[in-house]
Amino acid sequence: MEIINWKELLYPYAQTVDELLLKFRSLDKECRQLGIYSPIDSVTGRLKRPASILEKAGRKQISPDRIEEEIEDIAGIRILCQFVEDIPKVIEMVRKRKDMTVIEERDYITNTKPSGYRSYHMIIRYPLFTALGEKTVPAEIQIRTNAMNFWATAEHSLRYKYSGNIPQDLQDRLKNCAEAAFHLDQEMATIREEITNAQRLNEIKNNL
Amino acid sequence: MEIINWKELLYPYAQTVDELLLKFRSLDKECRQLGIYSPIDSVTGRLKRPASILEKAGRKQISPDRIEEEIEDIAGIRILCQFVEDIPKVIEMVRKRKDMTVIEERDYITNTKPSGYRSYHMIIRYPLFTALGEKTVPAEIQIRTNAMNFWATAEHSLRYKYSGNIPQDLQDRLKNCAEAAFHLDQEMATIREEITNAQRLNEIKNNL
Amino acid sequence: MEIINWKELLYPYAQTVDELLLKFRSLDKECRQLGIYSPIDSVTGRLKRPASILEKAGRKQISPDRIEEEIEDIAGIRILCQFVEDIPKVIEMVRKRKDMTVIEERDYITNTKPSGYRSYHMIIRYPLFTALGEKTVPAEIQIRTNAMNFWATAEHSLRYKYSGNIPQDLQDRLKNCAEAAFHLDQEMATIREEITNAQRLNEIKNNL
Amino acid sequence: MEIINWKELLYPYAQTVDELLLKFRSLDKECRQLGIYSPIDSVTGRLKRPASILEKAGRKQISPDRIEEEIEDIAGIRILCQFVEDIPKVIEMVRKRKDMTVIEERDYITNTKPSGYRSYHMIIRYPLFTALGEKTVPAEIQIRTNAMNFWATAEHSLRYKYSGNIPQDLQDRLKNCAEAAFHLDQEMATIREEITNAQRLNEIKNNL
């Protein structure tokens, strides 16, 4: 049985999360300073924890020495948007950058998962310059609205606790929450244009 | 006409926001590390901008030299919760601390504003030790659920743009959004207990 | 044999270091913004590592359950000054604060250690508000010039490596370094007044 | 007379400083985690202030619309080393990276300036991805020992205050300080090997 040196294995992923966070948070701040509408509401990052990595490796029958190649979401950032319409703008921003390469995209917004999960996932490769030389690190970028996010956060805790087998009754209640979140996104869409204009004007006013 | 040295005026408020952010974010992180359920989902901070301070001073007829005494929300932090039921727990945490004094509380959750605004506000006094000596700085702590926040952020941009006079048609659409957000909070309440238990267990699992 | 839960034990110390760092770095930044001379050049913080805590507990015959009471430098910050003359100003700043209590001071500048070590140490008690309630945490504040620090950092690595028994020849070379650092501090004193005036003027110019 | 929008002009430089700081600080942290000797002791960053940019533009007869092209040190980071021997290792690290391009190097260590100034300067071009698209930003990396740095910091304040014309008597005292700093670097070189070994061993011990 191999012992995994987690500190060493996780270091490049942690550094990738830090660089991605800095870069996407900066885009948002820059838009606000320039008085351009920012499609980004907030950005968070996370490193998959050893317990979750091992659980996923077990479930997908990945041997310990293949973890780095085959688990692509060890480094992850999440970009939250105010409106569903902001999501394609963020996707475009990611695709255009030359400091990372998109290698896969999964659209769970058009294709909502049976559980009710909605989100847009991009798998990228990020070139990192470490003390030991260049290293290309995979990372996952999740793009969703705030409403999609609270539902997903709730569902994630339950799925993790019940190891995927959420009791039917709880599944039904979760489904109701998903619908309420979806409904909120639809109502928000009816005021989107007025709000985005207002925010742009307000930023300009505040920068004077 | 007096000229306001904004850098000098705002410095203690900026420092207060930084210290409050550090302190409340730490409570959340600590709970997660100890495997205690954290009623805090995230914390953000902001400094009221000169344009907004002047606008408020004008509206409330406050003379420039009274700004520091009479405008109590120059420094502000916002504590977001996953569930409505977490809000009283956060309020209790603030009341118990001896490094700040609560001097006023306004409950816009029980007493929703006509606009649909829901949030809990606490005005505190925070003792700060500056290079020039001790200074007691007022600050506002807003406590709300993610759904309440979502709506409030949208409404705030519109109110600021229309200087309070939002057209009736837009007000109606905003009202629908407020109801959708309220409905989401109600649906989330039906799964709260399962989720809080799941999160506690998951934190413990992850800390092993 | 007791097992120490390091994460739980160290959490309040880590939080104390974070709060002290924020507070002292802010003093420096504030002075620069106001165009007041800042006696602080930079501030760093550190948490004593488990290996060092255990080594010290062993050396001083402290039982594991007495570690929190008897080891006072688990949380530590270091305030670096440009000039020897800045040190008493920083000491005064610490003594005057009411958000921490000084309980001991050791002056290794007037009383240089035989090894050549020069530094001013203050042991404080810091009231912390954790998720579990109020807790008073001990911490050490070290105040020294950049030149003193330079030497102390070098000596610390060697002392730790040789477990205190540095070979005589190496001790002699270290002594020469200590003298060179001391000499640098003396030469710097001859230009101190001109520099502190220049820095104050430059800050004011830059803030215009 | 053109009015410069400083916020807009400086934004890409500020972002470049943030990214460079994150990247070089990470190299240091990574070495410590892996138990490799780190040639980096600390990294700081700064943005040239409007007053200094204008002063330099005036002195070098650069017109406002040429500032971005011709002033190459608006964004700057400084890498401090414990020993003179660490400097070439850091230079090598910078040259090897593919996320920035070195376009000029100036060696004021071999060629000490008449004032006593010693430091190694690298001018780089850094590709930045802003909200408005890709932009290549110039930046200066200064590499020096801690001893070189305190002298340089002191001299910089005086030169700035006296606009370059430091009185002869003060120049002489500064020269003595430069010699004391140089002497300290020489003495430190005599214990370098023992210290670098000790630090590596200590890191490994602490990571166990």
Side-chain angles (χ1 to χ4, degrees):
Chain A
M1 157 99 202
E2 253 174 284
I3 287 169
I4 297 172
N5 182 337
W6 288 106
K7 244 187 189 168
E8 203 173 314
L9 184 138
L10 292 178
Y11 196 84
Y13 298 95
Q15 178 58 15
T16 297
V17 169
D18 285 348
E19 296 192 9
L20 293 175
L21 272 179
L22 179 67
K23 288 178 170 185
F24 285 100
R25 282 181 177 157
S26 163
L27 284 180
D28 175 35
K29 221 167 51 179
E30 189 193 357
C31 287
R32 290 175 203 278
Q33 283 215 355
L34 300 179
I36 299 170
Y37 174 72
S38 172
I40 295 175
D41 192 53
S42 65
V43 191
T44 58
R46 70 106 191 80
L47 209 56
K48 213 178 184 69
R49 304 203 213 188
S52 302
I53 295 173
L54 289 179
E55 184 274 325
K56 188 168 188 171
R59 189 158 40 82
K60 303 212 161 184
Q61 304 200 288
I62 296 165
S63 70
D65 59 301
R66 303 282 306 157
I67 283 175
E68 285 187 79
E69 258 116 306
E70 304 200 9
I71 300 190
E72 291 179 315
D73 63 347
I74 295 178
I77 65 160
R78 187 172 294 159
I79 300 178
L80 299 182
C81 303
Q82 253 192 307
F83 303 103
V84 180
E85 289 81 358
D86 295 333
I87 295 176
K89 290 174 201 152
V90 175
I91 295 170
E92 216 36 62
M93 273 175 151
V94 178
R95 285 186 189 144
K96 268 191 195 153
R97 295 184 73 103
K98 291 187 199 124
D99 53 349
M100 57 193 75
T101 314
V102 178
I103 61 150
E104 201 184 321
E105 304 192 16
R106 286 176 220 148
D107 179 356
Y108 298 122
I109 294 174
T110 313
N111 310 113
T112 307
K113 283 197 185 179
S115 63
Y117 181 78
R118 293 182 302 142
S119 198
Y120 197 93
H121 293 194
M122 304 178 91
I123 303 290
I124 62 157
R125 292 281 178 271
Y126 185 78
L128 192 73
F129 296 83
T130 73
L132 307 172
E134 190 173 350
K135 187 179 169 78
T136 302
V137 181
E140 186 181 72
I141 301 178
Q142 298 179 347
I143 309 165
R144 24 171 113 150
T145 63
N146 287 312
M148 292 173 190
N149 187 49
F150 9 120
W151 184 84
T153 307
E155 198 252 3
H156 177 80
S157 319
L158 294 176
R159 199 158 26 92
Y160 191 46
K161 178 189 168 190
Y162 290 104
S163 309
N165 306 306
I166 304 178
Q168 188 58 46
D169 160 61
L170 189 50
Q171 273 188 47
D172 294 344
R173 283 181 276 157
L174 254 178
K175 209 66 186 271
N176 291 338
C177 292
E179 271 156 31
F182 183 59
H183 181 62
L184 178 54
D185 270 340
Q186 286 180 310
E187 289 297 336
M188 291 297 284
T190 69
I191 55 170
R192 186 185 63 85
E193 211 172 328
E194 279 87 354
I195 287 182
T196 56
N197 285 338
Q199 286 178 346
R200 235 181 45 232
L201 281 171
N202 296 343
E203 291 299 339
I204 294 171
K205 224 189 319 186
N206 282 324
N207 284 337
L208 289 185
Chain B
M1 158 100 201
E2 252 174 286
I3 288 168
I4 297 172
N5 181 337
W6 288 107
K7 243 187 192 169
E8 203 175 312
L9 184 138
L10 292 178
Y11 195 84
Y13 298 95
Q15 178 57 15
T16 297
V17 169
D18 286 348
E19 295 192 11
L20 292 176
L21 272 179
L22 178 68
K23 289 178 170 185
F24 285 100
R25 282 181 176 156
S26 162
L27 283 181
D28 174 35
K29 222 168 47 180
E30 189 193 358
C31 287
R32 290 176 204 280
Q33 283 214 357
L34 300 179
I36 299 171
Y37 173 73
S38 172
I40 296 174
D41 192 55
S42 66
V43 191
T44 58
R46 70 105 191 82
L47 209 56
K48 210 177 187 67
R49 306 204 211 188
S52 302
I53 295 174
L54 289 178
E55 183 274 325
K56 188 168 187 171
R59 189 159 38 83
K60 303 214 161 184
Q61 303 199 286
I62 295 166
S63 70
D65 59 302
R66 303 284 305 158
I67 283 176
E68 285 185 80
E69 259 117 305
E70 303 199 11
I71 299 190
E72 291 179 315
D73 63 347
I74 295 177
I77 66 160
R78 186 172 294 160
I79 300 177
L80 299 182
C81 303
Q82 253 192 309
F83 303 104
V84 180
E85 288 81 357
D86 295 333
I87 295 176
K89 290 174 201 153
V90 175
I91 295 169
E92 216 36 60
M93 273 175 151
V94 178
R95 286 186 188 143
K96 270 191 196 152
R97 295 183 72 103
K98 291 190 200 122
D99 53 349
M100 56 192 76
T101 315
V102 178
I103 60 151
E104 201 184 322
E105 304 192 15
R106 285 175 220 150
D107 178 357
Y108 299 122
I109 295 175
T110 314
N111 310 112
T112 308
K113 283 196 185 181
S115 63
Y117 181 78
R118 291 182 302 142
S119 197
Y120 198 94
H121 293 194
M122 303 177 91
I123 303 290
I124 62 157
R125 291 281 178 273
Y126 185 78
L128 192 74
F129 296 84
T130 73
L132 307 172
E134 191 174 350
K135 187 179 168 77
T136 302
V137 181
E140 185 181 71
I141 301 178
Q142 297 180 347
I143 309 164
R144 20 170 116 153
T145 63
N146 287 314
M148 293 173 190
N149 185 48
F150 197 21
W151 183 85
T153 307
E155 199 251 2
H156 178 80
S157 319
L158 294 176
R159 198 157 28 90
Y160 191 45
K161 178 188 169 192
Y162 291 104
S163 309
N165 306 306
I166 304 177
Q168 186 59 46
D169 159 61
L170 188 51
Q171 273 187 46
D172 294 344
R173 282 182 276 155
L174 253 179
K175 209 66 187 268
N176 291 339
C177 291
E179 270 156 32
F182 183 60
H183 180 61
L184 178 54
D185 268 341
Q186 285 181 311
E187 289 297 336
M188 293 295 282
T190 69
I191 55 170
R192 185 184 63 85
E193 211 172 328
E194 279 87 354
I195 287 182
T196 55
N197 285 338
Q199 286 178 346
R200 236 179 44 230
L201 280 171
N202 296 344
E203 291 299 338
I204 294 171
K205 225 190 317 188
N206 282 324
N207 283 337
L208 289 185
Chain C
M1 158 100 201
E2 255 174 284
I3 287 168
I4 297 172
N5 181 338
W6 288 107
K7 245 188 189 168
E8 204 174 313
L9 185 139
L10 291 178
Y11 194 85
Y13 298 96
Q15 179 58 15
T16 298
V17 169
D18 285 348
E19 296 194 10
L20 293 175
L21 272 179
L22 179 67
K23 289 178 170 184
F24 286 100
R25 281 181 177 156
S26 163
L27 284 180
D28 175 34
K29 221 167 50 178
E30 189 193 356
C31 287
R32 290 177 203 279
Q33 283 214 357
L34 300 179
I36 300 170
Y37 174 73
S38 172
I40 295 175
D41 193 54
S42 66
V43 190
T44 57
R46 71 105 189 82
L47 209 56
K48 211 177 185 72
R49 305 204 211 190
S52 302
I53 295 174
L54 289 178
E55 184 273 325
K56 188 168 187 171
R59 188 159 38 82
K60 302 212 162 186
Q61 304 198 287
I62 296 167
S63 70
D65 60 301
R66 303 283 307 157
I67 283 176
E68 286 187 78
E69 259 117 306
E70 303 200 10
I71 300 191
E72 293 180 312
D73 63 348
I74 295 178
I77 65 159
R78 186 172 294 159
I79 300 176
L80 298 182
C81 303
Q82 253 193 309
F83 302 104
V84 180
E85 288 81 357
D86 294 333
I87 294 176
K89 291 174 201 152
V90 175
I91 295 170
E92 215 37 60
M93 274 176 152
V94 177
R95 285 184 189 146
K96 270 191 194 151
R97 295 183 73 102
K98 289 186 201 128
D99 53 349
M100 55 193 76
T101 315
V102 178
I103 60 151
E104 201 185 321
E105 304 192 16
R106 287 176 219 148
D107 178 356
Y108 299 122
I109 295 174
T110 314
N111 309 112
T112 307
K113 283 196 186 182
S115 63
Y117 181 79
R118 290 181 304 142
S119 199
Y120 197 94
H121 293 194
M122 303 177 90
I123 303 290
I124 62 158
R125 292 282 178 270
Y126 185 78
L128 193 73
F129 296 84
T130 74
L132 307 172
E134 190 174 350
K135 189 181 167 75
T136 303
V137 181
E140 185 182 72
I141 301 177
Q142 297 180 347
I143 308 164
R144 23 170 115 152
T145 63
N146 287 313
M148 292 173 191
N149 185 48
F150 196 23
W151 183 84
T153 307
E155 198 252 2
H156 178 80
S157 320
L158 294 176
R159 198 157 28 91
Y160 191 46
K161 178 188 170 191
Y162 290 105
S163 310
N165 306 307
I166 304 176
Q168 187 58 47
D169 160 61
L170 188 51
Q171 274 188 45
D172 294 344
R173 282 181 276 154
L174 254 178
K175 209 67 186 270
N176 291 338
C177 292
E179 271 156 30
F182 183 60
H183 180 62
L184 178 55
D185 269 340
Q186 285 181 312
E187 290 295 338
M188 292 296 281
T190 68
I191 55 171
R192 186 185 64 86
E193 210 173 330
E194 278 88 353
I195 287 182
T196 56
N197 285 338
Q199 286 178 344
R200 237 181 42 232
L201 281 172
N202 296 343
E203 291 299 338
I204 294 172
K205 220 183 333 180
N206 282 325
N207 283 337
L208 289 185
Chain D
M1 158 101 200
E2 252 173 285
I3 288 168
I4 297 172
N5 182 337
W6 287 108
K7 244 187 191 169
E8 203 173 313
L9 185 139
L10 292 178
Y11 195 84
Y13 297 95
Q15 179 58 16
T16 298
V17 169
D18 285 348
E19 295 193 11
L20 293 175
L21 272 179
L22 179 68
K23 289 178 170 184
F24 286 100
R25 281 180 177 157
S26 163
L27 284 180
D28 174 34
K29 221 168 49 178
E30 189 193 358
C31 287
R32 290 175 203 279
Q33 283 215 356
L34 300 179
I36 300 170
Y37 174 72
S38 171
I40 296 174
D41 193 54
S42 66
V43 191
T44 58
R46 70 106 189 80
L47 209 56
K48 211 179 185 68
R49 305 205 211 189
S52 302
I53 295 174
L54 289 178
E55 183 274 324
K56 188 167 187 172
R59 189 160 37 84
K60 302 212 161 184
Q61 303 199 289
I62 296 166
S63 70
D65 59 301
R66 304 282 306 156
I67 283 176
E68 286 187 78
E69 259 117 307
E70 303 200 11
I71 300 191
E72 293 180 313
D73 63 348
I74 295 178
I77 64 159
R78 187 171 294 159
I79 300 177
L80 299 182
C81 303
Q82 253 191 309
F83 302 104
V84 181
E85 288 81 356
D86 295 333
I87 294 176
K89 290 173 201 152
V90 175
I91 296 169
E92 216 35 61
M93 274 175 152
V94 178
R95 285 185 189 146
K96 269 190 195 152
R97 295 182 74 102
K98 289 187 201 126
D99 54 349
M100 56 193 74
T101 315
V102 178
I103 60 150
E104 200 184 321
E105 303 191 15
R106 286 176 221 148
D107 178 357
Y108 298 121
I109 294 173
T110 313
N111 309 111
T112 307
K113 283 196 185 181
S115 63
Y117 181 78
R118 292 181 302 142
S119 198
Y120 197 94
H121 293 194
M122 303 178 91
I123 303 291
I124 62 158
R125 291 282 178 271
Y126 185 78
L128 192 73
F129 296 84
T130 74
L132 308 171
E134 189 173 350
K135 187 179 168 77
T136 302
V137 181
E140 185 181 72
I141 301 177
Q142 297 180 346
I143 308 163
R144 23 171 115 151
T145 63
N146 287 313
M148 292 173 190
N149 188 49
F150 7 121
W151 183 83
T153 306
E155 198 252 2
H156 178 79
S157 319
L158 294 176
R159 197 157 28 90
Y160 192 46
K161 179 188 168 190
Y162 290 104
S163 309
N165 305 308
I166 304 176
Q168 187 58 46
D169 159 59
L170 188 51
Q171 274 188 47
D172 294 344
R173 282 181 277 155
L174 254 179
K175 209 66 186 270
N176 291 339
C177 291
E179 270 156 32
F182 183 61
H183 180 61
L184 177 55
D185 269 341
Q186 286 181 312
E187 289 296 336
M188 290 301 282
T190 68
I191 55 170
R192 186 184 63 86
E193 212 173 329
E194 279 87 354
I195 286 182
T196 56
N197 285 338
Q199 286 178 345
R200 234 179 47 231
L201 280 171
N202 296 343
E203 290 299 339
I204 294 171
K205 225 190 317 187
N206 282 324
N207 284 338
L208 288 187

